Amino acid sequence: MPEMPEVELVAQTLNKLVGGRKIIVAELLRERLAPFNSAADFAERLQNSKIMRVDRRGKHILFDLNNGHTLIAHLRMSGRFMLLPLERENPKYTHAAFYFADESRLVFQDQRHFGFMRITETGKLHEAKELKSLAPEPFSDEFSPKYFREILKTSKKSLKEFLLDQTKVTGLGNIYASEAMFLAQINPQVSANKVSARKAGNLFEKIREVLRESIAHGSTLNVNPENIDASYYGGGYSFGWRVYNRENESCVKCGTAIVRLKQAGRSTYFCPKCQK
Ligand SMILES: [Zn+2]
């Protein structure tokens, strides 16, 4: 499943590739992809709309249209965008297609059927159920060391579970939570409200660092417009993980074997010596 940095890279790439372009016709080919819009409504709201900008909020990709609507898209497990020329057929599992004037089209393909789309009025975007409970973005001014210290105090959950809670911190998934805690040298099992102010300040910096590093790295990769998402997932950055997916391998700092444990059903990786 893509995490925030990968979604950011996909949104940035989509903005470059289709920002400013006009959708002539849109087709919803799997109705359950957009449970709040019928196929007819989907087509009608997108027809002849110009994509002003493609942006991101949490792991949602936002297509800001010039007709007062925004298309919200979530890739979930396996959703991907593909910008295809006329001569290419729609791949299997094409669930939506957006046709442009030059006869190219943007396709949303989703082998595992968990993807999500919704078209909503841009003026009511902040009220959309998918977005309204999300915490501040990690690179926004609202996400400050003070905010982070105070929100940590409100939770008795383990730090790892706290970091995955998108109503507290937006943008950290399983991979980058482990990576940030490693860099900040904090034990993932400590209660969020027991993290000292000094450690909270350090972790705040490391959260930004791991996300920034991943986005910067992804920005250097070659992107295939016909398979945008695959250009980022699990590719380049996975070689740079310090603890994630490295059970029993040596800690890059001290050589101790990396430990994997389950927290709320998900794997956490950490160094028991560096992260006491
Ligand atoms: Zn270590």
Side-chain angles (χ1 to χ4, degrees):
M1 178 160 9
E3 293 209 16
M4 184 276 255
E6 292 82 34
V7 179
E8 170 69 23
L9 291 161
V10 170
Q12 285 179 11
T13 301
L14 285 170
N15 189 50
K16 275 185 220 144
L17 293 173
V18 301
R21 294 174 76 172
K22 189 170 165 182
I23 298 169
I24 305 298
V25 170
E27 281 179 331
L28 179 63
L29 299 162
R30 177 177 176 268
E31 291 235 10
R32 285 175 61 197
L33 171 64
F36 301 102
N37 303 99
S38 67
D41 179 50
F42 189 89
E44 191 181 315
R45 291 198 202 208
L46 291 171
Q47 186 164 27
N48 292 321
S49 66
K50 187 170 157 185
I51 300 169
M52 308 289 281
R53 204 188 143 68
V54 185
D55 227 321
R56 178 193 59 76
R57 176 79 176 101
K59 291 207 299 183
H60 294 83
I61 295 170
L62 307 176
F63 294 78
D64 179 21
L65 307 169
N66 73 337
N67 63 0
H69 287 96
T70 295
L71 169 66
I72 304 172
H74 199 300
L75 306 167
R76 297 266 170 80
M77 303 295 286
S78 63
R80 57 180 63 191
F81 283 102
M82 311 167 115
L83 184 62
L84 302 178
L86 176 66
E87 61 273 17
R88 278 276 304 271
E89 278 183 32
N90 282 349
K92 201 175 174 187
Y93 311 114
T94 292
H95 293 169
F98 310 87
Y99 295 82
F100 300 110
D102 68 356
E103 297 190 324
S104 65
R105 70 194 181 286
L106 185 68
V107 156
F108 183 79
Q109 188 236 22
D110 187 8
Q111 189 175 356
R112 297 189 57 187
H113 296 54
F114 288 109
F116 172 84
M117 286 191 183
R118 177 182 198 158
I119 305 171
T120 187
E121 286 173 42
T122 303
K124 292 182 178 167
L125 192 58
H126 61 284
E127 294 169 27
K129 181 168 68 71
E130 294 76 26
L131 307 181
K132 72 177 175 194
S133 60
L134 290 178
E137 288 290 324
F139 296 115
S140 69
D141 293 339
E142 298 142 273
F143 186 68
S144 63
K146 182 168 181 282
Y147 167 85
F148 189 55
R149 265 197 322 272
E150 287 177 358
I151 200 84
L152 275 164
K153 282 187 203 140
T154 66
S155 175
K156 289 180 182 166
K157 279 190 201 166
S158 72
L159 179 60
K160 162 70 182 318
E161 288 172 77
F162 170 89
L163 291 176
L164 295 191
D165 181 346
Q166 303 296 301
T167 68
K168 306 285 196 291
V169 182
T170 295
L172 280 179
N174 216 31
I175 298 172
Y176 299 102
S178 281
E179 293 292 304
M181 288 185 290
F182 173 74
L183 284 182
Q185 301 193 305
I186 308 185
N187 189 300
Q189 293 165 291
V190 70
S191 295
N193 63 349
K194 297 274 165 59
V195 175
S196 70
R198 188 184 61 80
K199 286 204 163 183
N202 192 20
L203 182 57
F204 173 87
E205 294 299 330
K206 299 307 180 191
I207 287 170
R208 285 190 164 179
E209 187 178 320
V210 291
L211 295 172
R212 196 181 289 125
E213 177 186 64
S214 175
I215 293 167
H217 176 80
S219 303
T220 67
L221 301 174
N222 285 323
V223 177
N224 174 6
E226 296 190 20
N227 200 350
I228 296 164
D229 306 63
S231 309
Y232 297 121
Y233 297 171
Y237 191 71
S238 61
F239 298 102
W241 291 331
R242 296 168 181 91
V243 282
Y244 184 78
N245 216 11
R246 295 192 65 238
E247 184 179 17
N248 293 328
E249 291 178 36
S250 305
C251 168
V252 293
K253 277 187 192 155
C254 75
T256 303
I258 298 299
V259 169
R260 178 171 73 100
L261 54 93
K262 284 262 179 192
Q263 291 182 288
R266 307 195 61 193
S267 293
T268 304
Y269 298 86
F270 77 112
C271 171
K273 190 167 174 205
C274 293
Q275 294 171 263
K276 276 187 177 149

